[in-house]
Amino acid sequence: MRAIVLHFQAGGESPRFDLLSFSFPHLAEVQVERVTKGRNGLLISARTKNTEAECGACGTLSQRIHSRYRRHLRDVACGEVPVTIELEVRRWFCGNLDCPVRTFTEQVPELARRYARRTSSLRRLLEHIALALAGRAGARLAARLGITVSRSLLIRLIRALPDPEVGPVTVLGVDEFAKRRGQSYATILIDMATHRPVDVLDDRTAEVFAAWLGEHPGTQVICRDRAGSFAEGARDGAPEAIQVADRWHLWHNLCTAVESTVRPHRADLAEPPPETSPADEDSEVDTAPDVPESRTAIRTRERHATIHALLAEGRTHTQICIVPETRSREGPLIRHSHGRHPGDPLIPVAAYLSAILERSLARTERGP
């Protein structure tokens, strides 16, 4: 072990070590006695220098010392070398007879919190690392800086941070997400001006959403999906706000409707002809090869024909479900009796999509 001797200034009581005070400004409120270097890094031995202390329970000043003990605080690394502060603190008697405590320990708030094992400087540094890189990546970076921490500690530091205050949100986006699909859901709120999350609600009901809007007035536009709970919550919590459908859900609903409509007619969709040069257009004839049907499509057509033949004979749905030819691995396919005919031309599909688009535009102009 190697010791660094601190020389006392002539006529003074405290050591002067400019480099130490410059590198560790948070040690200004304590008296550094010595600095030693061992296998585990630097060890700074220090003690408090107050002649009296204030009781944390009643605020009475005391000058009677009860005992002393040492706290070991991990500090910010110095030159990638771990630093530990061995702080000697005193326990004092409380002179107030009406105080609920008899003894108390003096604190150094500039250095560390009560019961802390790390200095406030190291805690702030770890909080910045955790917010930037989270668990594993943050732990790897801290190790490079000479600080040994676990990913779980970094996550706990993030969770211990106070939530930022939610100011007025003019345009609010709301959507649900599954914490456990089919069992537990939550609601996320987004500030559409900054595209940053504002809050997370523990449920997706209208009452929870309306309560949040009541606690945070000032919302003018609510951008939501087509869920009825969010519409009801917006009407109850912010009746003056305008409700609009977000672009993603509009496109998603349109794509779902187009896919479900076009899927029965996939056999009518032929591959586009290969591109030819203008010189070859007169000599070559555009012959698009027929698209071979899959075995699943063939079986579906056969079941469809069988079901409609049985319906024409006067069979009921229950009787048709018993027939083996109308069943599949997923169960009876009686739904074919209500769907479109697989051989219908593609012309009704275009009309159907036009009707969907007209209804969507009319609903958008009419408002929520």
Side-chain angles (χ1 to χ4, degrees), residues 8-12:
F8 286 83
Q9 187 178 4

Side-chain angles (χ1 to χ4, degrees), residues 287-365:
T287 57
D290 296 336
V291 178
E293 290 186 340
S294 62
R295 289 181 295 178
T296 303
I298 295 175
R299 288 196 301 267
T300 303
R301 289 180 182 274
E302 293 176 353
R303 293 192 187 100
H304 182 275
T306 303
I307 291 173
H308 280 271
L310 294 175
L311 288 175
E313 295 177 3
R315 302 283 187 91
T316 63
H317 287 181
T318 305
Q319 295 172 347
I320 294 176
C321 291
I322 304 176
V323 179
E325 289 80 2
T326 63
R327 303 181 63 86
S328 67
R329 297 179 180 178
E330 294 78 9
L333 296 178
I334 193 64
R335 64 178 184 273
H336 289 301
S337 62
H338 303 288
R340 287 177 172 269
H341 193 283
D344 289 344
L346 200 58
I347 295 178
V349 177
Y352 181 67
L353 295 179
S354 300
I356 293 177
L357 183 59
E358 292 176 0
R359 288 197 297 270
S360 301
L361 293 176
R363 188 180 298 107
T364 304
E365 293 176 356

